[in-house]
Amino acid sequence: MTKPPQAGSEDAAAASLRSIPEASVARLAVYLRMLGELAEQGSETVSSDELAAATGVNPAKLRKDLSYIGSYGIRGVGYEIAALVRQLERTLGLDHLQAVALVGVGNLGHALAGYSGFGGRGFPVTALFDVDPDLVGIHINGIIVEHVRSIPEICAERGVTIGMIATPGPAAQGVCDLLVGSGVRCILNFAPVVLQVPPEVEVRKVDLAVELQILAFHVARKHLAGQDTATLDSRVNGHAANGSGGMLP
Amino acid sequence: MTKPPQAGSEDAAAASLRSIPEASVARLAVYLRMLGELAEQGSETVSSDELAAATGVNPAKLRKDLSYIGSYGIRGVGYEIAALVRQLERTLGLDHLQAVALVGVGNLGHALAGYSGFGGRGFPVTALFDVDPDLVGIHINGIIVEHVRSIPEICAERGVTIGMIATPGPAAQGVCDLLVGSGVRCILNFAPVVLQVPPEVEVRKVDLAVELQILAFHVARKHLAGQDTATLDSRVNGHAANGSGGMLP
DNA sequence: GCAACTTTGTGCGTGCCTTCACAAGCGACT
DNA sequence: AGTCGCTTGTGAAGGCACGCACAAAGTTGC
Ligand SMILES: NC(=O)c1ccc[n+]([C@@H]2O[C@H](COP(=O)([O-])OP(=O)(O)OC[C@H]3O[C@@H](n4cnc5c(N)ncnc54)[C@H](O)[C@@H]3O)[C@@H](O)[C@H]2O)c1
Ligand SMILES: NC(=O)c1ccc[n+]([C@@H]2O[C@H](COP(=O)([O-])OP(=O)(O)OC[C@H]3O[C@@H](n4cnc5c(N)ncnc54)[C@H](O)[C@@H]3O)[C@@H](O)[C@H]2O)c1
């Protein structure tokens, strides 16, 4: 990768988009948020070790992640926060807003619709949908809840690129089909079902019951491991949170 | 792995606990839910191909996952659903209930506290906490909201094993420390911060802004790829429960 | 009882992700 | 100018996960 110091940035971003590991993309988003906080606190630069410790990641992994986006740190100093933030935002597709539609304004949907953390980070919720006649017509945070049957026109009209599904499980597939039929290519699904979609559509699932079950598994594991062998091998891969490499010899 | 057909199940479960890949654990939870649905529909057995199709997983991967828990399918037939469910529940630590405490009963916390999907799957929410005087004392779904300062006694009293944090970001670390100090060893965190915990504590994070940013990345990627090369390689590996891939400590 | 068919369990090659370790680059200090 | 200390960027190695493909094992039909 010999590259001239001149940040031919347009080019760099384009090239990098094709090959960033999914796992790295997830971490880049975390770095970005932490960098925002650091910037607010008045920092101008940050080293990989500091940022790694703050985000609970291995410093080498962090540097490799950043190397994917073609951003240049300054050796001996660290990364210039403002520049890095700009680079990350472009790479993650945040240089223009992504309009989000939320379908299902029940318990969870209400919380999501009222959450400011989405709009604040470049994901304005611009459309709400439900089937319940008591809900259709009310407005939350200034957005009117529309009937599900209006999904195609409204999504097209408002340029929705991301759909969030917070309906009961049995309704999720139907809603998903509607969204996909309206041109939505990215879906975040909270219903505990596996959605069937054409290959060009990206689905991510947030499944809290599964999260709890993974934790429960670790409870069971700790119980048995603790009483069975003395080898308290906490070597579960994944969460190596020991940020500060305390590698005892 | 020659193993006697005698299901020395206690032993099998104990052995398997130590070595199941995290990614597989996440999928096992999904299989379990789907098996529950199949059982309700009256099925008695299911083949790996059927179950794989229903959960959106490669059949070989599914069989390998199931082989970790030492459960025996019947060649030529498939898996007996009831037995498999029992085995999965034991492996995932669901043979006895896991009491859950929820801290932060705001927008999101209300939705979580009122959600029946947790208790219904072996994770009864048995304690609610907040600092807001207007919230402390009210009851949701029959559970009274207590003040955060009561966390230690109440968690001990009710045998809480899992804590969920739905407070604003700045309060999360403090709440986390309280929970850990009360003996909670597993935490599900909804606040957009990286929690610092001792190594024996397991933290999983649900970070919706990150989920959206991953989707936004794919939007950007599709845009560029679509116009640039004709190779519409939508071969992004399985979204799978964020758990495995996302692994953010 | 035997053959044909079905489905499981898994050995193995492949590719991705993580981590270590170190050279190269940059600034500061003398 | 030269040297020293610090930090980045990355080559290489190891480990893990995925998925193919096939043998083993069971069932069904005759
Ligand atoms: N509440 C939680 O904390 C929580 C946690 C995890 C998962 N979930 C999942 O999120 C989903 C929603 O949960 P909830 O608690 O908000 O449920 P809810 O019943 O409170 O809300 C569901 C909403 O979806 C609407 N709806 C039903 N069918 C619809 C359709 N075909 N099209 C559009 N809208 C439709 C209903 O009118 C209702 O407003 C469920 O799948 C649930 O399993 C919820
Ligand atoms: N609402 C959402 O849809 C949503 C989505 C994603 C993430 N989140 C995250 O979840 C968290 C909660 O979100 P929310 O919308 O419910 O916020 P919220 O402000 O509505 O609720 C926060 C609650 O926490 C309580 N609280 C504050 N400090 C506390 C402390 N020290 N101990 C205990 N309780 C305390 C507050 O009294 C309040 O009831 C936030 O971190 C938010 O970023 C929320």
Side-chain angles (χ1 to χ4, degrees):
Chain A
M1 295 291 99
T2 58
K3 212 182 290 182
Q6 327 286 41
S9 29
E10 206 64 1
D11 183 46
S16 59
L17 274 185
R18 243 173 294 288
S19 54
I20 305 182
E22 185 113 343
S24 292
V25 175
R27 286 190 297 268
L28 289 176
V30 177
Y31 305 153
L32 176 57
R33 177 166 51 216
M34 182 57 67
L35 287 169
E37 289 181 23
L38 291 173
E40 275 181 20
Q41 289 167 20
S43 308
E44 301 215 334
T45 63
V46 67
S47 72
S48 63
D49 277 27
E50 291 165 347
L51 189 53
T55 52
V57 165
N58 180 301
K61 182 156 56 176
L62 183 144
R63 288 198 295 274
K64 184 149 288 189
D65 286 342
L66 291 184
S67 77
Y68 289 128
I69 70 172
S71 94
Y72 301 134
I74 307 165
R75 298 176 187 227
V77 176
Y79 298 88
E80 199 213 327
I81 292 180
L84 191 50
V85 165
R86 233 176 297 122
Q87 189 80 283
L88 278 169
E89 284 179 344
R90 227 204 9 242
T91 305
L92 292 176
L94 296 180
D95 42 355
H96 43 82
L97 300 180
Q98 308 285 347
V100 175
L102 169 63
V103 188
V105 194
N107 275 325
L108 181 59
H110 255 92
L112 294 172
Y115 183 49
S116 60
F118 297 145
R121 301 202 66 77
F123 300 98
V125 177
T126 56
L128 302 174
F129 299 100
D130 207 301
V131 285
D132 188 336
D134 292 344
L135 290 172
V136 173
I138 73 169
H139 58 88
I140 303 176
N141 262 18
I143 304 173
I144 296 180
V145 178
E146 312 273 357
H147 194 277
V148 168
R149 79 170 79 86
S150 313
I151 286 180
E153 34 188 294
I154 293 184
C155 283
E157 189 180 293
R158 303 187 189 170
V160 167
T161 53
I162 297 177
M164 297 199 298
I165 299 179
T167 66
Q173 182 66 55
V175 163
C176 173
D177 294 345
L178 267 175
L179 287 170
V180 170
S182 308
V184 174
R185 290 287 167 271
C186 294
I187 289 179
L188 186 56
N189 177 33
F190 293 88
V193 295
V194 179
L195 295 177
Q196 308 289 342
V197 295
E200 73 272 17
V201 176
E202 190 76 20
V203 175
R204 292 191 67 84
K205 185 172 55 165
V206 175
D207 194 326
L208 303 186
V210 167
E211 297 295 328
L212 287 181
Q213 283 177 352
I214 294 172
L215 288 175
F217 171 77
H218 283 103
V219 174
R221 186 178 165 283
K222 281 178 215 288
H223 261 239
L224 264 80
Q227 298 171 346
D228 197 358
T229 49
T231 69
L232 185 64
D233 67 285
S234 44
R235 296 260 353 117
V236 188
N237 59 8
H239 314 221
N242 63 7
S244 46
M247 282 294 79
L248 296 184
Chain B
M1 294 297 97
T2 59
K3 209 184 292 181
Q6 326 288 41
S9 31
E10 204 66 359
D11 183 45
S16 60
L17 274 183
R18 244 174 294 289
S19 55
I20 305 182
E22 186 113 343
S24 293
V25 175
R27 286 190 297 269
L28 289 176
V30 177
Y31 305 152
L32 176 56
R33 178 165 50 216
M34 182 56 68
L35 287 169
E37 289 181 23
L38 291 174
E40 275 182 18
Q41 289 166 21
S43 308
E44 301 215 335
T45 63
V46 67
S47 72
S48 63
D49 276 27
E50 291 165 347
L51 189 54
T55 52
V57 164
N58 180 298
K61 183 157 54 179
L62 183 144
R63 289 197 296 273
K64 185 156 291 189
D65 286 343
L66 291 184
S67 77
Y68 290 128
I69 70 172
S71 95
Y72 302 134
I74 308 166
R75 298 176 186 224
V77 177
Y79 298 87
E80 199 214 326
I81 293 180
L84 191 51
V85 165
R86 234 175 297 123
Q87 188 80 282
L88 278 168
E89 284 180 343
R90 229 204 8 242
T91 305
L92 292 176
L94 297 180
D95 43 354
H96 44 82
L97 299 180
Q98 307 285 346
V100 176
L102 169 64
V103 188
V105 194
N107 275 326
L108 181 59
H110 256 93
L112 294 173
Y115 183 49
S116 61
F118 297 146
R121 302 204 64 78
F123 300 98
V125 177
T126 57
L128 302 173
F129 299 100
D130 207 301
V131 285
D132 188 334
D134 292 343
L135 290 172
V136 173
I138 73 169
H139 59 88
I140 303 176
N141 262 18
I143 304 173
I144 295 178
V145 178
E146 312 274 355
H147 193 277
V148 167
R149 79 171 80 86
S150 312
I151 285 181
E153 35 189 292
I154 292 184
C155 283
E157 188 179 293
R158 304 187 188 171
V160 167
T161 54
I162 297 177
M164 297 199 297
I165 299 179
T167 66
Q173 182 66 55
V175 162
C176 173
D177 294 345
L178 267 175
L179 287 170
V180 170
S182 308
V184 174
R185 290 287 167 272
C186 293
I187 289 179
L188 186 57
N189 177 34
F190 293 88
V193 295
V194 179
L195 296 176
Q196 308 289 343
V197 294
E200 73 272 15
V201 176
E202 191 75 20
V203 176
R204 291 190 68 84
K205 187 169 56 163
V206 174
D207 194 328
L208 303 187
V210 167
E211 297 294 328
L212 288 181
Q213 282 176 353
I214 294 172
L215 288 175
F217 171 77
H218 286 292
V219 173
R221 186 178 164 282
K222 281 177 215 287
H223 260 239
L224 265 80
Q227 298 171 345
D228 198 356
T229 50
T231 69
L232 184 64
D233 68 293
S234 45
R235 294 265 356 116
V236 189
N237 59 2
H239 26 191
N242 86 39
S244 54
M247 257 334 52
L248 308 169

